[in-house]
Amino acid sequence: MSVVTRFPPSPTGYLHIGGARTALFSWLYARKHDGRFVLRIEDTDRERSSEQSVQAIFDGMSWLGLDYDEGPYFQTRRMERYREGIEQLIKAGDAYYCYCTKEELDQMRERQRARGGKPRYDGRCRDRSQPREGVSPVVRFKNPPEGNVVIDDLIKGRIVISNQELDDLIIARSDGTPTYNFTVVIDDMDMHITHVIRGDDHVNNTPRQINILKALGAQPPQYAHVPMILGEDGKRLSKRHGAVSVMQYRDDGYLPHALLNYLVRLGWSHGDKEIFSRQEMIDLFDISSVQRGSAVFNPEKLLWLNYEYIKAANPEELRDHARGHFKNAGIDIDDQANWKEVFLVNQQRSKTLLELVERSAFFFLDIDGYDPKSVKKHFKGRASEVLLAVQAQLRQLDPWSTDSVHDCLHRLAEQRSIGLGKIAQPLRVAVAGVAVSPPIDETLAILGKETTLRRIAAAVEYINSLT
Ligand code: GLU
């Protein structure tokens, strides 16, 4: 039997961290077992679902590289099928119309509570044969009255629920629309899902879904309920804990694989290994070794991983991910002759792609103004004179390379009996606009002679204009 897993998000918002991790686990499980991965959009709640959210889910999945083999299916396009399923259950006597009014149900619950019991539907319409005038009925599933439902959860182990705990669930509302637990069952059955991997907030639905599946004559799939993700304060992960939308991480300059790597380690481990290539994730991931307790989201660790991936990335790959970020900064990275050298000196220093852009921008764009703090600190005293001396020396330099620039600046420092910093810092501010850059010799070598000399001249002019 080949493995089929699914990711069935409700399009009521963006793709968030928790959803992405569930999708990843399901995707990995399918890939590992040469199975199929199905994407299904659970959009029956028309009020809360939106086109934008559907698009956000597609975008998130595609950015993360979680490709699917089937779908996307849309539940709103399968309404006919759900009606058919409801008919089937009614005909077989496994579902019935319930005409109870809201008042009756409220009273029922009230009485149950007063007796110290749990409120539940008491099944009073089960044997009703007559409709009730003026009431559009709901349809309820006839839950088996006796016995247990046993779930051998791949993560949580065996879970046993007595059928007496479960009441007769509404599977169709009075307007005929099917409810969540029913559409999921029909879909999981029709799509031949073998493994349902989902958040453990659904664990209470599972026994109900198993009973309905059995009534429809289907073999229930295997279940794996993944524990929640918590923030560092122990509360359920939410916006308070930072970005929760997957696409926000893209916008903040994260690499998709860094996020995937972070997510796969959220509640799962393989010895003390931290870095997993895509293939390693597929080969090593095992749903049954997902931990039973909840996982804690740690943004610093995600940032650390991102940094590791940026450092190790080949520049071409990095350029593909950074292209949009450069564009936002007004830089067409494909037009830059020296982009690769710039990446190579900055990759080792950039924790995010935004930082890479920030550190790289002055190589590609003329600087517009100088950082006031750097000016105060380094464009003072003899800075202008030093810069003029540097300019004179550099003008003579041939060939123009990291080594030749290095020697030239050192020679000058020696001649003038000053520390290299007294030369390098004003020079940095002159060419980069701030007192931070990669090593000054590499920086000038990459900038090129002409740009370097032009920027020094502009800086001298600026300094002179200050006094
Ligand atoms: N649409 C449900 C959700 O987003 C899917 C639950 C399931 O995996 O069965 O929570």
Side-chain angles (χ1 to χ4, degrees):
M1 184 181 64
S2 90
V3 165
V4 186
T5 64
R6 67 348 176 236
F7 178 52
S10 306
T12 54
Y14 39 69
L15 178 62
H16 55 82
I17 289 292
R21 183 183 60 152
T22 318
L24 172 64
F25 285 3
S26 298
W27 178 85
L28 284 173
Y29 198 81
R31 292 289 167 265
K32 183 185 175 83
H33 296 279
D34 283 325
R36 281 179 302 129
F37 177 56
V38 176
L39 178 63
R40 176 168 91 217
I41 304 294
E42 303 206 325
D43 55 349
T44 51
D45 184 345
R46 287 176 200 251
E47 240 150 67
R48 294 181 57 228
S49 302
S50 73
E51 279 294 316
Q52 280 131 291
S53 300
V54 172
Q55 195 53 49
I57 289 161
F58 292 161
D59 292 347
M61 301 278 290
S62 126
W63 182 63
L64 289 171
L66 300 177
D67 55 336
Y68 38 91
D69 310 293
E70 241 183 74
Y73 293 108
F74 290 85
Q75 288 193 323
T76 44
R77 296 185 197 160
R78 291 175 47 76
M79 287 302 182
E80 205 37 58
R81 173 67 185 108
Y82 305 133
R83 253 186 289 277
E84 208 181 278
I86 286 165
E87 279 306 310
Q88 180 188 337
L89 287 181
I90 293 175
K91 270 208 192 102
D94 288 316
Y96 60 94
Y97 290 108
C98 166
Y99 294 86
C100 293
T101 60
K102 186 176 173 306
E103 290 70 37
E104 281 172 319
L105 294 173
D106 286 347
Q107 264 178 18
M108 184 191 308
R109 290 195 197 103
E110 199 82 346
R111 246 179 276 128
Q112 286 162 339
R113 265 195 221 104
R115 267 190 255 116
K118 251 210 242 158
R120 65 201 298 277
Y121 183 67
D122 64 6
R124 63 177 66 171
C125 282
R126 273 186 172 214
D127 302 314
R128 189 186 181 102
S129 52
Q130 292 306 308
R132 204 186 218 177
E133 200 131 333
V135 182
S136 329
V138 299
V139 179
R140 286 185 188 269
F141 174 66
K142 213 183 252 178
N143 199 76
E146 306 291 336
N148 293 325
V149 185
V150 177
I151 310 163
D152 281 312
D153 190 279
L154 294 172
I155 297 172
K156 294 187 180 287
R158 176 161 286 203
I159 303 170
V160 181
I161 299 102
S162 158
N163 271 318
Q164 280 169 1
E165 297 270 311
L166 308 170
D167 59 0
D168 291 351
L169 187 76
I170 297 177
I171 56 175
R173 302 180 187 93
S174 56
D175 64 2
T177 55
T179 57
Y180 159 73
N181 276 297
F182 190 72
T183 56
V184 165
V185 159
I186 291 283
D187 288 350
D188 285 344
M189 177 174 91
D190 285 0
M191 296 164 195
H192 307 287
I193 304 299
T194 60
H195 294 77
V196 166
I197 298 171
R198 63 181 168 198
D200 69 0
D201 47 336
H202 284 288
V203 77
N204 290 335
N205 291 321
T206 304
R208 299 175 178 284
Q209 293 180 8
I210 290 177
N211 282 339
I212 302 173
L213 278 164
K214 284 186 176 156
L216 288 165
Q219 166 84 19
Q222 288 208 268
Y223 292 90
H225 289 96
V226 181
M228 294 282 99
I229 303 175
L230 305 180
E232 274 165 328
D233 54 2
K235 304 228 167 77
R236 203 177 154 160
L237 193 66
S238 74
K239 274 203 183 133
R240 266 179 306 124
H241 302 102
V244 284
S245 148
V246 163
M247 294 315 259
Q248 186 63 48
Y249 283 99
R250 182 198 60 181
D251 296 346
D252 291 348
Y254 284 76
L255 290 170
H257 190 72
L259 185 54
L260 281 185
N261 194 148
Y262 181 71
L263 291 177
V264 81
R265 283 282 291 102
L266 211 44
W268 174 78
S269 58
H270 184 78
D272 49 16
K273 190 171 165 63
E274 290 291 356
I275 307 276
F276 294 83
S277 71
R278 214 169 166 81
Q279 196 55 49
E280 284 174 327
M281 279 187 202
I282 295 173
D283 294 341
L284 301 173
F285 180 74
D286 182 2
I287 193 75
S288 58
S289 49
V290 169
Q291 75 190 29
R292 290 182 184 195
S294 38
V296 176
F297 188 76
N298 176 348
E300 285 87 50
K301 186 167 171 202
L302 172 55
L303 187 62
W304 170 77
L305 268 171
N306 201 48
Y307 186 31
E308 292 301 307
Y309 277 103
I310 289 179
K311 282 194 282 189
N314 79 47
E316 278 79 11
E317 184 195 337
L318 209 53
R319 183 176 54 170
D320 287 340
H321 290 296
R323 185 170 283 112
H325 296 299
F326 276 105
K327 200 163 171 212
N328 292 341
I331 298 163
D332 183 345
I333 195 63
D334 300 298
D335 270 358
Q336 311 300 328
N338 55 359
W339 73 273
K340 205 181 227 175
E341 287 98 316
V342 174
F343 276 31
L344 288 171
V345 292
N346 280 329
Q347 265 177 262
Q348 304 307 316
R349 305 177 165 76
S350 306
K351 292 195 172 66
T352 68
L353 296 176
L354 294 187
E355 206 180 319
L356 177 70
V357 171
E358 197 180 298
R359 288 178 182 275
S360 305
F362 77 87
F363 286 99
F364 307 132
L365 294 177
D366 274 337
I367 47 178
D368 57 348
Y370 303 95
D371 164 52
K373 268 203 198 128
S374 307
V375 166
K376 218 166 164 196
K377 201 154 170 215
H378 304 294
F379 277 1
K380 60 172 190 203
R382 315 185 62 174
S384 130
E385 191 216 320
V386 168
L387 285 175
L388 282 171
V390 174
Q391 189 187 36
Q393 296 289 321
L394 289 177
R395 196 175 278 135
Q396 312 297 324
L397 208 60
D398 184 35
W400 184 268
S401 68
T402 303
D403 284 347
S404 67
V405 170
H406 175 93
D407 292 347
C408 173
L409 297 181
H410 276 264
R411 229 180 302 121
L412 196 69
E414 237 164 71
Q415 276 167 16
R416 303 178 69 97
S417 304
I418 52 175
L420 186 66
K422 285 266 182 289
I423 297 178
Q425 289 305 75
L427 195 47
R428 272 208 168 89
V429 184
V431 299
V434 283
V436 255
S437 82
I440 191 67
D441 44 7
E442 283 184 66
T443 302
L444 300 193
I446 297 170
L447 267 179
K449 190 169 182 174
E450 196 205 308
T451 306
T452 301
L453 293 177
R454 186 162 33 83
R455 290 193 189 173
I456 294 174
V460 169
E461 201 173 303
Y462 173 80
I463 298 172
N464 292 341
S465 78
L466 292 178
T467 47

